[in-house]
Amino acid sequence: MWQVIGQTKAVSLLQRSLETGSLAHAYLFVGPAHVGKMTLALNLAQALNCEAAEQPCGVCPSCLKIASGKHADVQVMALSGETSEENRAKISVEQIEQLQHSVSLPPFEGKYRVFIIDGAEFLSIGAANRLLKTLEEPVGKVVFILLTPDEKLLLPTIVSRCQRLELFLMSPIQLEAALKTKWGVEPEKAKLLSRLAHGCLGWAVSSARDDSLVVQRAETLDKVLDIINGDSEERFAYASQMATQFGQNRGQVYARLDLWLDWWRDLLLVKTGSLDSITNIDRLDTLSEMAAGLSLGQIRSFIQSIRSAGEQLRQNASLRFVLEVLMLDIPEVSKHAQVKSAV
Ligand SMILES: [Zn+2]
């Protein structure tokens, strides 16, 4: 049984390739973070090495070993270390050289050697060129699976050597149904998680199993609300703290900005009466209060500010500067409305 849910197109294509023996030598799975790229890659590795008649069975010794990361023929390569602001980490030439050595060996215990490269966009130019050589000279019983959220960051020559499969975000309705039926999550929690997950089943399932993700999110959101209601001193302290805390890891800053964006999009939805699409459904009262104290123009303009902060960071602008500008752009929530709502 394929464990990936909601990716019918990709799964049926792979299933057909397995059945007809028309497997590609290299695959590129494209899709946003937590959409299920790694789950699908491991599932494909299982299907290739499964000992049962219906592959992947998920329960034979080979499938179990792959699931627990202990199969000698399935290697996962990813970025080691954190991405720093000055020196963006890369998958190195040395890492690819090691991989090339393994490629030349026959499978140890399974039928296929499978190499999964998670975050293929982090390949250094040198490493990408080395990998390209390997992809250009296919070896039997070896399958490469490259995972990336954005194929534009890969060398076009690498992309053209791979069979491309796109993984899509699931709708909140699909997610909610999957959480209830497959994981037995209680209805109210399933509804909330299906909204907070932004289409990513992986995040929703992890959060259903482990409350700490949702608790952490709530704490971070509380801080965001404090800052919106705070004075300029508090806002600059927040920007400075975030710049220090996340200077070594921009990914976390993007995640924090996404949370800001969610909140302001929700305010826009409340303001326009589109309550069905709200993400933070557990905070509807606070959203309504705050939306009453803001104009549509103010909300739209600040959403634009958050987006442009994200774009500037992607273009390598100074983290502290971008965050300080963003803090200056936070609109004033009308006190009148707040007083009214407090009564
Ligand atoms: Zn199996």
Side-chain angles (χ1 to χ4, degrees):
M1 270 293 287
W2 294 80
Q3 275 134 18
V4 184
I5 292 175
Q7 307 295 344
T8 349
K9 204 173 156 195
V11 168
S12 60
L13 192 139
L14 290 173
Q15 183 71 44
R16 215 164 39 242
S17 305
L18 286 164
E19 284 163 6
T20 56
S22 56
L23 276 172
H25 167 63
Y27 288 93
L28 176 64
F29 293 174
V30 184
H34 306 296
V35 78
K37 298 189 291 294
M38 183 58 85
T39 309
L40 184 60
L42 291 173
N43 258 191
L44 176 56
Q46 287 176 320
L48 290 167
N49 285 299
C50 182
E51 295 153 31
E54 205 166 304
Q55 302 159 335
C57 74
V59 290
C60 71
S62 179
C63 282
L64 290 175
K65 271 191 185 174
I66 292 171
S68 59
K70 292 192 179 116
H71 197 288
D73 293 317
V74 178
Q75 281 186 32
V76 177
M77 175 180 287
L79 194 61
S80 51
E82 289 194 330
T83 329
S84 77
E85 187 150 355
E86 317 78 51
N87 182 22
R88 301 236 170 151
K90 293 281 182 193
I91 296 176
S92 66
V93 174
E94 291 72 33
Q95 282 175 282
I96 296 298
E97 277 173 351
Q98 277 174 13
L99 180 147
Q100 282 175 318
H101 175 68
S102 310
V103 168
S104 63
L105 305 169
F108 287 118
E109 54 176 324
K111 294 180 258 184
Y112 279 88
R113 305 212 69 177
V114 181
F115 298 92
I116 301 169
I117 303 182
D118 190 12
E121 70 278 14
F122 290 118
L123 285 162
S124 70
I125 294 287
N129 279 318
R130 284 292 171 100
L131 178 66
L132 187 61
K133 284 222 156 46
T134 308
L135 296 181
E136 279 169 344
E137 293 157 14
V139 182
K141 306 293 178 194
V142 172
V143 172
F144 284 91
I145 310 172
L146 278 60
L147 317 181
T148 187
D150 186 358
E151 66 204 289
K152 290 196 289 295
L153 300 174
L154 271 67
L155 285 185
T157 39
I158 290 212
V159 177
S160 70
R161 290 278 157 189
C162 299
Q163 175 161 6
R164 181 183 175 284
L165 284 183
E166 192 165 352
L167 277 72
F168 297 98
L169 293 172
M170 290 169 74
S171 73
I173 293 169
Q174 283 177 306
L175 276 177
E176 193 179 333
L179 286 174
K180 284 194 281 195
T181 55
K182 303 253 177 197
W183 282 272
V185 179
E186 60 189 72
E188 198 169 327
K189 193 171 177 185
K191 188 168 187 180
L192 176 64
L193 293 180
S194 72
R195 306 295 183 97
L196 296 184
H198 291 292
C200 294
L201 183 66
W203 190 92
V205 172
S206 307
S207 305
R209 285 181 184 146
D210 175 7
D211 269 344
S212 68
L213 284 171
V214 176
V215 171
Q216 202 181 7
R217 190 195 146 89
E219 284 169 5
T220 315
L221 191 57
D222 285 340
K223 185 70 194 163
V224 169
L225 299 182
D226 283 349
I227 294 306
I228 295 172
N229 293 316
D231 57 25
S232 58
E233 203 177 320
E234 289 167 89
R235 291 176 185 177
F236 279 110
Y238 176 76
S240 159
Q241 185 218 351
M242 216 154 95
T244 315
Q245 193 179 354
F246 299 134
Q248 298 300 308
N249 189 342
R250 288 201 174 207
Q252 294 199 39
V253 180
Y254 296 136
R256 195 60 68 92
L257 285 180
D258 284 345
L259 199 88
W260 276 84
L261 197 54
D262 278 352
W263 185 259
W264 286 82
R265 269 200 202 121
D266 280 356
L267 286 170
L268 187 70
L269 292 167
V270 170
K271 201 79 185 164
T272 53
S274 322
L275 299 186
D276 280 352
S277 312
I278 285 173
T279 299
N280 298 289
I281 42 170
D282 55 335
R283 305 279 184 126
L284 197 52
D285 290 347
T286 315
L287 280 166
S288 305
E289 277 175 34
M290 198 175 278
L294 291 160
S295 73
L296 206 52
Q298 283 177 312
I299 298 174
R300 286 213 175 104
S301 152
F302 191 61
I303 289 177
Q304 194 45 50
S305 296
I306 303 170
R307 288 210 177 106
S308 100
E311 275 161 30
Q312 287 172 46
L313 287 180
R314 281 179 183 87
Q315 287 160 11
N316 241 347
S318 150
L319 179 54
R320 186 181 295 260
F321 175 75
V322 169
L323 293 175
E324 283 179 357
V325 170
L326 184 65
M327 292 299 110
L328 287 172
D329 283 350
I330 299 173
E332 188 78 19
V333 183
S334 154
K335 293 278 185 284
H336 175 67
Q338 280 188 323
V339 170
K340 216 170 74 179
S341 67
V343 174

